[in-house]
Every structure is written in C-alpha cells, then in structure tokens.
Amino acid sequence: MANTSTRTLQLLSLLQTHRYWPGTELAERLGISVRTLRRDIDRLRELGYPVEAQRGVDGGYQLAAGAALPPLVIDDEEAVALAVGLQTAAQGAVEGIAESSVRVLAKVVQVMPARLRRRVESLRTMTEPADWGAEAGADVDPAVLTTVALACRDTEQLRFSYSAADGRITDRHVEPHRLVCLRRRWYLVAYDVTRHDWRTFRVDRLTAPHSTGSRFRLRDLPAADAAAFVRARLNNVPRPYRVEVLVDASAATVRERIGRWGTVEEVDAGHCRVRMTADSLDWPAMAMGVLGADFHVLHPPELLDRIHEWGTRFHRASSRRSGG
C-alpha cells in the first residue's frame, strides 16, 4: 500500500478525472478499505478541497466548486497542453491575461521534467502564430520569458545580450523589476547596474538571459508602476507615422473593433476621432477597412495614398472575377 501522502495525491488525481466516483470503486482503485477512504477524504477536506459525499449503499464522492482554487494534480499530457496554451496566451493572443499567463508559465516550467519541456518546445517550434502584420507584435521565446519572469520573482540579477533598434549589441547586467505586456509586445523594466539608471528592454531583443544567482533589494521605481514607466518611455520614442482619422460611427462601436490599437475620442453620437501611431501604414489601412463605416483621413496624407493603392488592387481583383 502506498504511504499516506502518496495515496492522498492519487485520490485527488482520481477525483479530478471523474465527476463522480462510487465509494467502493474508488477504494478498490486505491487498494484500501472504505473506512480508510473516508479518512483520506477527510484529510483532503482539511487541506481545502471541497469533497462532497453521497451516503447510502451506492454512495460516493465528487469534487465540488469551492470558495478558493486549491492546487490541482495534472498528468503529463495535461501539463504539456497547459504549458503550450499558456505560451499562446503569453504572446497576447487573449487580451488582458498575458502577464498572468507568464507568471503561471514560470511556475509550471520550473517544476516540469526535462522530457516534458522538450515536448513543449517541439510543439512550439512546429506551430506558427496567426498574427496580422508587424503591428501585431514580435514573437518572444517563452523560455526567455520564463527565465526573466523567474528572475523578477526571485529578485535575482540578470545578464543578457541586447540588440538595440539600430542593431548595436551590448551586454547588460540588470536588476529585473517587472515584465509588462503593452501593444502586444513584452518589455522588461529593470535597473541597469552598469549604467546606474532605470531602463526598458524589449524582450524579443534579449538573447541568452541567465540569472547570476545574486539577490538584490528592490529599488524605488521612478513611476507609479512598471506599466506607466514603459508608456512614458514609448511616448518619448519618435515613430514614423501619427495617424488621425474621422470616422462616421459611434465611439463605442469603434472602440469595440480597434480600440486596443489607438485612442478613440467621441465627436458626437455618430462620429468619433481615431488617433494611432504606427511603424507602417499597412495596419492603419487595415484597421479602417474592418470598421465597416465611412471615414475621412486627416493625417498623414501618405495614408490616403496607401488606401488608394489597396483600393485599386481590390478593384482589379473584383473586375477579374466579374469578367471571368
């Protein structure tokens, strides 16, 4: 018979795999008596797992929803699926959960056996993301994300190579503070030990990050929080295009469709003004196309040229279809 701790984990795993277990069948699977099973059930309840019991000859047990989420027991297949799903969410595929996904991913990867890590990596490398254009964000290696996340969590100094926007590569030694996901890109906010100042690093430009094992005391960040620090830095970076468009639709409608990519200001009940910055005019042109409403480009004039170019190409495509 397995020891009590091992048996308790086995019991928890069985309860999580089936909605309801007859008591006799559950005891048989564990190789214990029904009386011992009742004691093990009581032990799980003491640990915070809400196990409901149905009494009688055909009585049994099932896990119920509780006031808090207790630890879960998962098998190898479930662990791989969980890690792959978290990696997808960490890329910003689901708005609002990217940062929490990285925190959970770091916990899972930290205790995952090497053989399962290899399976996760194989699945990741053989899967292509379905992002639209450059503005959708840059691909980040989940292994890099988890390494940085663990260093932030454990307040351990970090070393890595960093490629700047101009292509210049430097070695960095930092005290990592927080990871921030903004505009579908990941940024590390850290104190640069060599340069004696706070810095923001795009995580997709980090190479070979590794913890030094040296702990540090958190410094006071010169901003309300890490996200505010990143936003302030990004606002000071010049970008090629500043787009301003007047749309014949309500602000609520436009925010629902493209609000995450720019600023939407209400003009009146049926009109709004959209402002966004972009490295390329392809994404603003696409954004205007998916609105399903008329619009007037206020700035820049190059956006009109791009829309005209797209319109001409689409018109040729539709003419060929009607003529064929």
Side-chain angles (χ1 to χ4, degrees):
M1 182 187 300
N3 62 46
T4 303
S5 299
T6 301
R7 196 175 65 239
T8 302
L9 288 175
Q10 292 174 345
L11 171 59
L12 177 58
S13 179
L14 289 171
L15 287 171
Q16 290 175 346
T17 56
H18 285 290
R19 179 173 178 81
Y20 178 81
W21 279 96
T24 53
E25 183 179 347
L26 193 55
E28 183 179 346
R29 288 289 298 269
L30 293 168
I32 59 177
S33 67
V34 174
R35 177 177 296 181
T36 301
L37 174 63
R38 284 197 292 266
R39 288 200 298 266
D40 289 349
I41 291 292
D42 289 338
R43 187 173 295 108
L44 280 180
R45 288 169 175 161
E46 292 172 359
L47 292 173
Y49 294 93
V51 183
E52 292 182 346
Q54 180 178 328
R55 302 189 180 281
V57 178
D58 298 325
Y61 302 94
Q62 66 181 24
L63 278 176
L69 180 66
L72 302 176
V73 176
I74 58 178
D75 61 25
D76 288 358
E77 298 295 331
E78 293 166 340
V80 171
L82 176 62
V84 172
L86 288 170
Q87 288 179 0
T88 302
Q91 298 298 334
V94 183
E95 185 177 8
I97 68 169
E99 294 180 32
S100 57
S101 297
V102 169
R103 290 197 299 270
V104 178
L105 182 61
K107 295 178 182 178
V108 172
V109 171
Q110 187 179 31
V111 298
M112 183 175 283
R115 57 186 172 80
L116 296 186
R117 292 188 191 184
R118 287 193 293 270
R119 288 178 58 186
V120 171
E121 181 60 19
S122 297
L123 284 171
R124 187 189 72 83
T125 55
M126 294 302 294
T127 304
E128 295 186 7
D131 287 338
W132 285 4
E135 281 295 298
D139 187 30
V140 178
D141 186 348
V144 171
L145 269 177
T146 53
T147 298
V148 175
L150 287 171
C152 290
R153 186 197 68 179
D154 299 334
T155 59
E156 292 184 351
Q157 292 184 355
L158 198 64
R159 288 187 181 273
F160 53 83
S161 295
Y162 188 70
S163 178
D166 59 5
R168 186 168 53 94
I169 298 177
T170 55
D171 292 329
R172 298 302 183 106
H173 181 197
V174 305
E175 296 174 354
H177 182 75
R178 288 289 187 277
L179 279 167
V180 175
C181 185
L182 190 63
R183 300 173 187 171
R184 298 199 71 178
R185 283 197 175 105
W186 280 101
Y187 298 89
L188 168 64
V189 175
Y191 185 84
D192 193 309
V193 176
T194 306
R195 292 159 179 78
H196 306 289
D197 196 9
W198 287 93
R199 291 287 192 271
T200 297
F201 302 96
R202 268 181 50 174
V203 178
D204 59 295
R205 294 177 178 168
L206 268 66
T207 303
H210 60 279
S211 172
T212 66
S214 299
R215 302 291 296 273
F216 64 90
R217 179 176 295 180
L218 285 174
R219 303 172 188 263
D220 291 331
L221 183 68
D225 53 42
F229 184 81
V230 173
R231 288 192 184 95
R233 290 300 179 98
L234 292 180
N235 289 337
N236 291 331
V237 175
R239 303 191 67 180
Y241 299 104
R242 294 187 178 275
V243 176
E244 185 175 355
V245 179
L246 188 64
V247 182
D248 296 346
S250 67
T253 299
V254 174
R255 285 195 190 100
E256 182 180 353
R257 296 185 179 179
I258 63 167
R260 61 185 298 187
W261 304 112
T263 302
V264 181
E265 301 174 356
E266 183 177 3
V267 175
D268 55 40
H271 300 83
C272 64
R273 189 184 306 271
V274 176
R275 292 187 175 93
M276 61 176 67
T277 56
D279 300 320
S280 164
L281 289 175
D282 287 332
W283 169 246
M286 184 183 298
M288 295 304 105
V290 302
L291 282 177
D294 291 339
F295 59 89
H296 175 57
V297 175
L298 302 177
H299 184 80
E302 295 91 338
L303 179 56
L304 284 173
D305 296 335
R306 184 60 54 85
I307 292 172
H308 178 73
E309 177 187 338
W310 281 30
T312 301
R313 190 180 306 125
F314 291 160
H315 178 70
R316 285 199 303 266
S318 62
S319 298
R320 288 170 183 168
R321 180 179 178 183
S322 60

